Amino acid sequence: MTTLDVDALIDDPATRVIVCCGSGGVGKTTTAAALALRAAERGRQTVVLTIDPARRLAQALGLKELGNHPRQVVVEGFEPKGELWAMMLDMRRTFDDMVRVHAGPERAEALLSNPFYQTISTSFSGTQEYMAMEKLGQLAATDDWDLIIVDTPPSRSALDFLDAPSRLSSALDGRMIRLLTGPGKVGGRGLRKMVTAGFTMFTKAVSTIIGGQLLSDASAFMQAFDSMFGGFRERARKTAELLRSQGTSFVVIAAPEPDALREASYFVDRLSEESMPLAGLVANRTHPVLAKLSGPEALAAADSLENGEKNSPLAVAVLRLHADRVALAARETRLLARFTRAHPEVPLVKVPALPSDVHDIGGLRDIGDRLAGS
């Protein structure tokens, strides 16, 4: 097994983007923040983009809140060699900004005020993942930072982040939705008349199901959106190229649990298929055993004390707790060994669990030290 050298990764000036990915609840946000903090303290101009709506990152960085634009972290006692900036994705505002960039002033206002747009900009499948990639593209285009660290959305599947541009693009270019733009582009007067008649029947049928006003809003939206659709796709293409570039590295985060490691394995395979650069795996919240006493020895000692004349309840409890810890560590070791057998080429680093949640700069620094193996 090769060890993931985190410091070598963040110190390399060729590393411009680090994407932290994995299934939900494995510590992506904390890992992304710890990497960003360590990179800034080691001299990088760093910005971290989080998708976490719980504001844990802002609290850990000593800030009251984060917005949709990067904000420099200036906290008493934090004096990095470089700079640390942070932001939290506002999905709706990012979509609005994209509309304003690609559409003219009048068309943009028509889109932004359209009820159908107001619905899909917050609830359409893949929107959050796509907007995370859109914001990544915006940050990369400014050249204000030499390292961008992305905390991917808490999707059901980590693969949603990679699939988002094509899924959202395909959905908005789908057969039914494209019908909503109307038959005006169809060539030939006779054909246009026939399609118009067919489209009228289609709209009457659909309006009885979803409501005439919603159909009208959707049609108006697609007609306004149609002119900026090329720009929408072009930006998705450029961001996809960025994710495949040599300056980007993916760090997969997983807890030492079957489901999380299974998801990580799928993601590693997908990155390989897509020729995307994988830095390695972070096995988060592991439980190493620090004492040399084995589990059976601890249980035997506990039984002896419990049955002896000088029973010590506290010592018995500690011994049994140690035996449980040894069993847990052995289980985690087996699970990680299974992963490394399947992916021997993937560097791995184990990050021991902290006794409490991370809530400040010191906690993030501690996580960074554990990531670096120090």
Side-chain angles (χ1 to χ4, degrees):
M1 181 189 72
T2 306
T3 300
L4 173 61
D5 190 338
V6 167
D7 284 345
L9 176 66
I10 61 178
D11 289 347
D12 187 352
T15 302
R16 303 298 304 276
V17 177
I18 296 176
V19 182
C20 296
C21 48
S23 57
V26 296
K28 291 194 305 290
T29 299
T30 303
T31 301
L35 286 171
L37 181 81
R38 190 171 184 86
E41 292 190 322
R42 295 173 71 87
R44 301 295 298 269
Q45 303 293 112
T46 309
V47 59
V48 56
L49 162 63
T50 184
I51 321 296
D52 181 18
R55 296 195 174 95
R56 291 197 310 269
L57 177 59
Q59 294 168 359
L61 294 173
L63 305 174
K64 290 184 178 180
E65 61 182 4
L66 292 173
N68 199 45
H69 298 283
R71 175 180 174 185
Q72 187 172 6
V73 177
V74 180
V75 182
E76 185 177 352
F78 176 57
E79 299 178 357
K81 294 179 182 178
E83 291 181 356
L84 177 58
W85 297 67
M87 62 163 293
M88 184 177 73
L89 179 73
D90 184 323
M91 181 174 62
R92 174 63 183 275
R93 286 186 61 186
T94 301
F95 208 151
D96 290 353
D97 290 344
M98 187 182 71
V99 168
R100 292 188 178 97
V101 168
H102 288 294
E106 292 184 5
R107 185 171 281 108
E109 290 307 312
L111 279 166
L112 295 176
S113 61
N114 184 286
F116 186 74
Y117 167 79
Q118 292 171 5
T119 298
I120 73 162
S121 63
T122 55
S123 60
F124 211 72
S125 176
T127 303
Q128 186 181 46
E129 289 81 4
Y130 178 84
M131 290 307 143
M133 296 186 73
E134 170 72 16
K135 182 58 71 173
L136 169 59
Q138 292 176 11
L139 294 174
T142 65
D143 287 329
D144 290 338
W145 301 276
D146 58 35
L147 180 60
I148 302 168
I149 297 180
V150 182
D151 162 35
T152 54
S155 308
R156 180 190 61 80
S157 168
L159 300 178
D160 290 348
F161 182 71
L162 296 182
D163 292 333
S166 59
R167 283 173 43 235
L168 189 58
S169 178
S170 296
L172 291 174
D173 199 27
R175 189 174 183 180
M176 179 174 175
I177 289 184
R178 300 303 289 176
L179 274 172
L180 298 176
T181 62
K185 295 180 181 179
V186 180
R189 181 175 298 179
L191 181 60
R192 185 183 301 117
K193 184 176 181 180
M194 180 179 69
V195 172
T196 301
F199 184 72
T200 300
M201 293 178 63
F202 164 78
T203 55
K204 285 182 179 179
V206 173
S207 64
T208 62
I209 300 172
I210 66 175
Q213 186 59 47
L214 177 59
L215 182 63
S216 176
D217 291 339
S219 180
F221 164 77
M222 285 308 304
Q223 290 175 32
F225 186 81
D226 191 57
S227 63
M228 61 171 279
F229 194 71
F232 181 91
R233 277 185 158 167
E234 179 63 15
R235 291 174 79 97
R237 183 187 65 79
K238 288 184 177 179
T239 305
E241 287 180 356
L242 174 65
L243 292 176
R244 287 180 173 84
S245 70
Q246 290 300 312
T248 297
S249 290
F250 284 82
V251 174
V252 180
I253 295 102
E257 295 293 337
D259 289 345
L261 286 171
R262 190 178 303 114
E263 188 77 17
S265 184
Y266 290 151
F267 200 87
V268 167
D269 290 339
R270 176 64 183 277
L271 289 175
S272 177
E273 292 171 5
E274 298 284 343
S275 299
M276 292 184 171
L278 171 65
L281 175 81
V282 173
N284 209 12
R285 302 172 188 153
T286 61
H287 299 83
V289 177
L290 303 179
K292 294 183 179 180
L293 187 66
S294 70
E297 288 173 337
L299 289 175
D303 290 340
S304 177
L305 279 174
E306 204 166 35
N307 297 324
E309 296 181 359
K310 296 182 178 179
N311 185 13
S312 175
L314 180 58
V316 169
V318 170
L319 287 166
R320 296 196 184 283
L321 184 63
H322 175 76
D324 290 342
R325 177 69 173 252
V326 170
L328 176 60
R331 175 178 178 272
E332 293 176 352
T333 299
R334 288 194 301 272
L335 289 171
L336 291 171
R338 187 183 305 165
F339 176 89
T340 54
R341 283 196 300 271
H343 305 281
E345 76 288 354
V346 178
L348 183 147
V349 62
K350 299 178 183 179
V351 179
L354 292 176
S356 60
D357 290 337
V358 175
H359 54 78
D360 56 17
I361 293 285
L364 289 176
R365 188 177 290 121
D366 193 3
I367 290 290
D369 289 341
R370 292 170 185 240
L371 281 165
S374 58

